[in-house]
Amino acid sequence: MNAPVRYEIEHVSRYKYERPVRNCVMAVCLRPQDDERQHLMRFDLSTDPPAPHNAEQDGFGNTRHVLNIHREHNSLAIMAHSIVVMLPTETAPSPTATTESVGGGGWDALRAEADAFADWDFVNPTALTEPTAALAEFVRGKGLDALDGDPLSVVQALMGAVHDSFRYVPGSTSVGSPIDHVLETGEGVCQDFAHVMLAVARSWGVPSRYVSGYVEVSDVADNGGGADGEARTGASHAWVECRLPGLGWVGFDPTNRCLADHRHIRIATGRDYQDVAPTRGVLQGGGSMELDVEVRVRVLP
């Protein structure tokens, strides 16, 4: 990509409750980031029933909105509307950058840049990225335990191994599924692919973080050659960013086996899914519930 691309994103989450909810406090993490990679031009958040909401920033720099509903309701709809300008993709990272920037081998450079305090959250396991016997067997079976090559090439090989080893099957896991589930069944979704990749990369000492956001999953040609302004397919998505010497944070999408680029619109980063869940709340009443999520991404002229 050599020119900015402007995306419009509509994200609607609809909750239906078995019984009336008397009180609800919900944290919503749906505001795209505004940084050197992407510019947030507009963000609107609304709910039905209407509820006041306040913005706050967490320890990872993510923005989330906290809403309160203190009256009885049988359903809740949360509507987020964003317009984001994605800047031109830079030149693809080169393995030589990880070996030349610090005047030594890539892995030596990575260890030299390590900061035990600053990197703590991104090199240590979490509940959803805990190393297990099944993970160790996966690493050995894929020949990833030798660390042959520069860090960029090795992490890219890990991304390819995760992509090739598991089938993308919606509904095969839940948001709290441990990595052993996907390792044993060979099925998962984007968050599972990301968790497996995080667990391995962190075991190597590579600072790695979970990224939530949106991805455009089709090109204009895939839509019959439509022009800008036509609705294009998009979805909520998760991928991984690794901090590599000489390169900084580099995005890896194991679900699609590609580096993150202008199609990857970032919302939040954290240790794993639990840090960046799109919605999370506490209810009084409600019983069982159903959640339906709709995401629409389109390119604006």
Side-chain angles (χ1 to χ4, degrees):
M1 182 185 75
N2 53 19
V5 177
R6 187 165 58 140
Y7 290 108
E8 180 181 44
I9 306 137
E10 296 174 347
H11 186 136
V12 181
S13 300
R14 295 186 176 89
Y15 290 90
K16 293 183 179 179
Y17 305 111
E18 178 187 20
R19 296 190 297 274
V21 172
R22 295 184 295 279
N23 294 289
C24 168
V25 178
M26 187 79 72
V28 179
C29 188
L30 291 175
R31 181 184 183 272
Q33 295 186 355
D34 187 3
D35 55 29
E36 70 278 1
R37 307 180 188 184
Q38 60 186 47
H39 292 332
L40 179 63
M41 309 302 293
R42 177 178 176 180
F43 177 75
D44 299 306
L45 183 70
S46 60
T47 65
D48 183 17
H53 50 269
N54 300 307
E56 60 181 33
Q57 195 171 71
D58 67 15
F60 299 108
N62 307 311
T63 299
R64 61 186 74 236
H65 294 80
V66 179
L67 59 91
N68 298 270
I69 304 177
H70 298 302
R71 60 180 181 277
E72 194 170 276
H73 55 284
N74 295 300
S75 63
L76 171 63
I78 302 172
M79 290 80 69
H81 176 249
S82 309
I83 295 179
V84 180
V85 174
M86 302 299 295
L87 300 183
T89 303
E90 298 178 357
T91 303
S94 167
T96 57
T98 65
T99 58
E100 295 177 353
S101 61
V102 191
W107 293 101
D108 291 339
L110 189 146
R111 286 186 284 270
E113 292 182 358
D115 185 318
F117 180 78
D119 293 339
W120 176 267
D121 287 323
F122 303 126
V123 296
N124 283 284
T126 65
L128 295 178
T129 62
E130 189 74 34
T132 65
L135 183 71
E137 180 58 33
F138 169 78
V139 171
R140 285 193 298 269
K142 299 299 177 181
L144 295 170
D145 51 345
L147 298 184
D148 291 331
D150 64 277
L152 174 61
S153 298
V154 172
V155 174
Q156 285 182 308
L158 169 61
M159 174 180 67
V162 172
H163 175 273
D164 294 344
S165 300
F166 309 115
R167 297 181 300 277
Y168 186 91
V169 181
S172 58
T173 59
S174 68
V175 295
S177 294
I179 57 175
D180 274 4
H181 184 95
V182 66
L183 290 167
E184 293 168 1
T185 64
E187 298 177 347
V189 293
C190 56
Q191 70 192 33
D192 304 300
F193 288 47
H195 285 151
V196 171
M197 185 170 176
L198 284 171
V200 177
R202 288 172 180 168
S203 73
W204 295 337
V206 178
S208 306
R209 60 191 184 188
Y210 184 101
V211 187
S212 69
Y214 305 103
V215 64
E216 183 195 357
V217 296
S218 65
D219 295 320
V220 173
D222 296 328
N223 282 329
D228 279 353
E230 178 183 355
R232 297 163 77 173
T233 307
S236 296
H237 197 44
W239 59 97
V240 172
E241 287 183 348
C242 298
R243 200 186 72 222
L244 302 176
L247 297 172
W249 290 103
V250 179
F252 300 88
D253 182 350
T255 305
N256 295 303
R257 195 174 187 169
C258 67
L259 295 177
D261 57 22
H262 65 280
R263 298 167 299 176
H264 293 73
I265 304 163
R266 303 158 76 251
I267 294 177
T269 58
R271 295 164 296 182
D272 60 25
Y273 171 85
Q274 298 295 342
D275 284 335
V276 299
T279 57
R280 175 181 294 169
V282 178
L283 310 175
Q284 209 175 13
S288 62
M289 67 178 182
E290 297 179 4
L291 171 62
D292 179 60
V293 179
E294 296 179 10
V295 175
R296 182 170 179 261
V297 178
R298 72 185 186 107
V299 175
L300 297 176

